[in-house]
Amino acid sequence: MTRSTVFAPFDIVEGDRKRGIVLLADHARRDLPDDYGSLGLPAAEFDRHIAYDIGVEAVTRELAGLLDVPAVIANFSRLLIDPNRGEDDPTLIRQLYDGTVVPGNYPIAPEERERRLDRFYRPYHDAVGAMIASVAQASGRAPFIFSVHSFTPVMQGRQRPWHVGILWDLDDRVARPLIDMLAQDKNLIVGDNEPYDGALRGDTMFRHAIVNGYAHALIEIRQDLIADQQGALAWAERLAPIVDAIDRRPDIHAVKIFGSRTGPL
């Protein structure tokens, strides 16, 4: 966990916007600004999956470089506020996460909740929206949005068997070929909407892709596979030709409204 007196809520990785692809990393970092201390937690908690998606920043940066496409990376820990939740989601600011009570989040006043939305959450989403609009303008096409996440091998005492999972709602233009191409490696256990369900109202994919009819998918890579730079690079190299192949499919850069399993858009 690093600290800075000037805290930027997001980072931009530049790439060729004419390619029509945007990478996102909602949970890439575990940082907190100075005025939040450690939220009352011991430092070791920030090495755990509860603070960030381990390995995701390295995978995202490597993948952006291999594809020469831009990425938007959230710079703040999900323990401060979770950018992959709707503003009204009860897990937006967690008070308890995988057995850990977060003292700095309990209790939390409505004014503090709004302060975190204004300082961190909304600037990140504004940056995501601006990048997507910029890529659409530069490419002259509907963007393809690819969100990179990772998951802990053990959650609440239960082992998770998947090496990678693809999350999606109703639009399967990216998810289906992505699952099929990953599954060609018989050594991989590929989850379809595992270990989470991709239908989450108000999350990043809902907000920026589903309601706009943009092709998209969220990938979850098991954290022990990408915890070091070698593993992160290996997965970026695995994903780059797959993402590139999907990008060339005829329906990927068309606007298509599929709706959501969570209800009307």
Side-chain angles (χ1 to χ4, degrees), residues 9-233:
F10 61 87
D11 192 23
I12 301 294
V13 178
E14 286 297 345
D16 184 359
R17 301 185 187 201
K18 293 180 182 179
R19 291 216 56 194
I21 301 174
V22 179
L23 303 183
L24 302 178
D26 298 326
H27 298 148
R29 306 193 73 174
R30 52 187 169 176
D31 297 1
L32 297 173
D34 280 344
D35 50 322
Y36 283 92
S38 63
L39 294 173
L41 292 169
E45 294 289 353
F46 288 87
D47 295 329
R48 298 182 59 213
H49 71 95
I50 65 171
Y52 73 124
D53 278 1
I54 295 164
V56 156
E57 182 174 9
V59 171
T60 303
R61 290 184 183 277
E62 295 286 359
L63 185 59
L66 290 168
L67 293 170
D68 187 23
V69 300
V72 186
I73 293 173
N75 283 346
F76 51 91
S77 172
R78 66 193 300 171
L79 292 177
L80 186 67
I81 189 167
D82 192 333
N84 195 37
R85 296 291 185 272
E87 291 195 14
D88 60 350
D89 193 297
T91 64
L92 178 71
I93 300 175
R94 288 181 182 264
Q95 298 174 345
L96 174 68
Y97 195 4
D98 196 17
T100 294
V101 175
V102 186
N105 294 347
Y106 183 80
I108 188 163
E111 296 80 8
E112 174 56 25
R113 181 182 180 279
E114 189 66 20
R115 181 171 178 255
R116 296 189 196 184
L117 284 165
D118 278 342
R119 283 186 65 188
F120 311 107
Y121 179 101
R122 289 172 183 147
Y124 170 68
H125 281 288
D126 288 347
V128 170
M131 178 61 77
I132 290 170
S134 174
V135 167
Q137 182 177 28
S139 66
R141 304 179 294 171
F144 161 18
I145 304 170
F146 191 63
S147 185
V148 184
H149 288 250
S150 69
F151 66 96
T152 180
V154 180
M155 184 70 169
Q156 296 176 343
R158 297 182 64 182
Q159 291 282 343
R160 290 159 150 184
W162 311 279
H163 298 101
V164 61
I166 307 302
L167 310 192
W168 57 290
D169 192 341
L170 289 175
D171 183 350
D172 66 350
R173 286 178 289 172
V174 177
R176 185 51 54 202
L178 182 57
I179 291 168
D180 290 345
M181 282 188 264
L182 286 168
Q184 289 176 12
D185 184 340
K186 300 306 179 184
N187 294 315
L188 288 182
I189 300 173
V190 181
D192 183 348
N193 271 324
E194 298 286 1
Y196 308 106
D197 192 324
L200 181 60
R201 194 168 191 87
D203 72 354
T204 301
M205 292 294 91
F206 182 92
R207 179 172 180 160
H208 295 286
I210 291 172
V211 299
N212 293 316
Y214 295 154
H216 63 282
L218 187 155
I219 189 167
E220 292 269 4
I221 307 168
R222 206 174 69 197
Q223 289 170 358
D224 58 310
L225 304 177
I226 56 172
D228 59 26
Q229 187 63 32
Q230 182 179 359
L233 178 58

